Amino acid sequence: MLSFRAFLAELKEELSSPELDLSTLDRLRAKYLGRNGLVNKSFDSISPDEKKAVGPEFNQTKKHIEDLLEDKRLRLLEQSDTAEFFDVTRSGTSFPKGSLHLVTYAVEEITKIFERIGFIRMSYPEVEWEYNDFEALNMPKGHPARDDFETFFVEAEEDPQLGKMILSPHTSSGQIREMLRVKTPPMRMINIAKCYRPNWDVSHVPMFHQFEGFVIDKDINITHLKGTINYFAKEFFGEKREIRLRPYHFQFTEPSFEVDITCGVCGGTGFLSSPSSRGSQKGSHLGENDNKIKCKLCKSGWLELGGSGMIHPNVLRAGSIDPAVYSGWAFGIGVERTFMMKEGLKLDDIRTLYSGDIRFLQQF
Ligand code: PHE
């Protein structure tokens, strides 16, 4: 009894091999359908009577095998076509890639600017003793100046000398730590760290960053402070920006100043140029600026950068430095604010920086 079905099963098995290619297909054709192939040979081997009986099945089997081979051939051709066709105009697959946070970039840039003029980068604890943040900075317990630094208290054991543990509300506590670490001037530090104050609105986040510049040596004076901040402003914001020191008050510096920088939007004029302000208006009683548009960002030509001043003698003493021999200065500036002023990022809500919305971060 002839078993054409067995041939079909065997062929199907062979056609399903993943290694099958066009040349194996030719060999399979010869193996099954060739003059001396399996099908013909088995047909030849039977008697004329049997041939008559299985004739139709023999023809059907040959046709079936032919169809299977042809079908496979077309499919192989199709596949080899797509494999050889390479569309160079198609855009590639972009792989998801990460980047650093904007504030991290800013911290890196600020660090480099100060390292170029010999400052050492430090990061002092974010969870700090009350003493280092206040008492040592000339703000004894109960002093109203402490209220300016609204503070998160940590639930931890109080130290009889150092007081409670707090989340440091400014980087100035690093001044005391640096004096006690280095012991003998000269000292030149840039302390960049996270600070915490319980505020949450469009221009405040409860966790932010400050960078604190700090210098102590013999004969250090205000010109060194101004020169250093000026150098920073030109490096970070560009040659055109100017700074000014405006008298202010901090407990830990004397004299104290607020540092201002010319506004990048109006170029320090406080006004945006408007078409109506061009040309002279003969006979007009209007003042020079009356028909100009006020700059919305600064309103005055200046933007506040941070606080600064000459280190108070009491602070030097708290760090075991003799104020009769040494003098120094310090400044503290907010990283987020500074960065937003540089890029002209018109962020109407500072909280966006920490929203964790990847679509915001991907723009940079
Ligand atoms: N620590 C002050 C603040 O956070 C800034 C400052 C630093 C002022 C150093 C003077 C000197 O507001």
Side-chain angles (χ1 to χ4, degrees):
M1 180 61 203
L2 267 180
S3 143
F4 291 123
R5 279 218 189 114
F7 292 149
L8 277 173
E10 197 186 326
L11 173 67
K12 277 183 189 162
E13 175 86 31
E14 285 177 293
L15 287 178
S16 68
S17 157
E19 271 122 60
L20 193 86
D21 58 17
L22 287 167
S23 64
T24 7
L25 205 63
D26 284 342
R27 252 178 281 131
L28 288 178
R29 177 184 299 279
K31 175 178 170 188
Y32 289 92
L33 300 179
R35 183 68 218 104
N36 291 313
L38 292 174
V39 181
N40 283 326
K41 257 184 145 178
S42 55
F43 192 67
D44 289 348
S45 67
I46 55 177
S47 68
D49 279 352
E50 280 175 318
K51 277 181 183 161
K52 238 183 215 162
V54 297
E57 200 192 341
F58 167 72
N59 284 326
Q60 268 170 22
T61 306
K62 285 218 289 195
K63 171 92 175 62
H64 201 157
I65 290 177
E66 188 62 63
D67 287 350
L68 284 174
L69 289 170
E70 181 60 11
D71 189 58
K72 191 73 192 177
R73 195 182 67 88
L74 289 176
R75 249 185 288 153
L76 283 176
L77 276 176
E78 224 171 65
Q79 277 168 19
S80 67
D81 264 6
T82 41
E84 277 159 30
F85 181 69
F86 180 73
D87 183 356
V88 288
T89 63
R90 254 182 82 176
S91 52
T93 319
S94 58
F95 292 95
K97 59 176 194 280
S99 65
L100 296 176
H101 191 273
L102 294 184
V103 171
T104 310
Y105 284 124
V107 167
E108 275 183 7
E109 190 179 353
I110 294 164
T111 304
K112 283 195 192 120
I113 290 173
F114 283 99
E115 278 177 352
R116 284 206 284 277
I117 53 169
F119 281 63
I120 286 176
R121 163 76 197 277
M122 295 303 292
S123 273
Y124 279 119
E126 294 165 28
V127 183
E128 181 55 289
W129 295 109
E130 250 183 311
Y131 173 85
N132 288 338
D133 265 312
F134 298 121
E135 274 91 337
L137 294 174
N138 202 31
M139 292 182 277
K141 265 208 176 76
H143 196 284
R146 281 167 88 130
D147 298 345
D148 296 342
F149 303 92
E150 290 166 89
T151 306
F152 286 111
F153 286 86
V154 175
E155 277 180 24
E157 211 175 303
E158 203 172 324
D159 182 276
Q161 263 90 53
L162 301 171
K164 295 190 172 114
M165 294 218 90
I166 58 176
L167 298 186
S168 193
H170 57 170
T171 41
S172 298
S173 49
Q175 293 186 24
I176 299 302
R177 288 186 173 270
E178 185 68 356
M179 284 187 269
L180 298 178
R181 182 185 76 88
V182 182
K183 294 189 178 78
T184 325
M187 300 176 194
R188 243 184 270 169
M189 162 188 80
I190 186 79
N191 172 28
I192 314 185
K194 293 191 179 81
C195 304
Y196 301 84
R197 294 183 202 176
N199 297 315
W200 180 253
D201 60 42
V202 289
S203 51
H204 295 91
V205 274
M207 186 282 296
F208 58 101
H209 296 72
Q210 282 190 342
F211 58 108
E212 182 108 1
F214 166 87
V215 167
I216 299 180
D217 204 348
K218 286 180 178 151
D219 303 321
I220 291 293
N221 62 50
I222 298 171
T223 63
H224 302 128
L225 168 67
K226 191 167 184 191
T228 306
I229 299 181
N230 193 46
Y231 157 79
F232 167 74
K234 306 266 182 206
E235 291 288 305
F236 192 77
F237 295 99
E239 270 306 311
K240 287 206 184 104
R241 309 291 280 271
E242 302 289 337
I243 60 131
R244 74 176 179 193
L245 299 183
R246 180 164 43 82
Y248 200 71
H249 176 78
F250 293 104
Q251 272 305 111
F252 34 95
T253 44
E254 181 57 39
S256 303
F257 311 95
E258 284 258 281
V259 184
D260 293 338
I261 183 163
T262 47
C263 173
V265 172
C266 63
T269 61
F271 295 96
L272 301 173
S273 50
S274 70
S276 60
S277 66
R278 276 193 225 117
S280 63
Q281 297 195 341
K282 263 193 186 164
S284 163
H285 294 294
L286 292 173
E288 197 195 330
N289 294 329
D290 284 358
N291 50 12
K292 288 185 179 173
I293 300 165
K294 269 205 165 178
C295 176
K296 275 201 195 113
L297 184 65
C298 66
K299 300 186 183 86
S300 64
W302 296 93
L303 294 166
E304 246 176 68
L305 259 190
S308 68
M310 299 303 293
I311 299 169
H312 195 288
N314 287 350
V315 177
L316 292 174
R317 280 187 208 106
S320 300
I321 305 278
D322 184 355
V325 182
Y326 296 106
S327 54
W329 52 252
F331 64 77
I333 298 177
V335 173
E336 287 82 352
R337 236 184 96 73
T338 307
F339 182 67
M340 281 159 63
M341 276 154 52
K342 169 188 172 128
E343 298 297 316
L345 282 177
K346 299 224 173 68
L347 269 188
D348 44 17
D349 192 334
I350 193 174
R351 293 172 294 191
T352 319
L353 274 177
Y354 295 111
S355 65
D357 188 337
I358 208 85
R359 290 170 306 174
F360 168 72
L361 296 172
Q362 272 167 345
Q363 298 173 71
F364 307 97

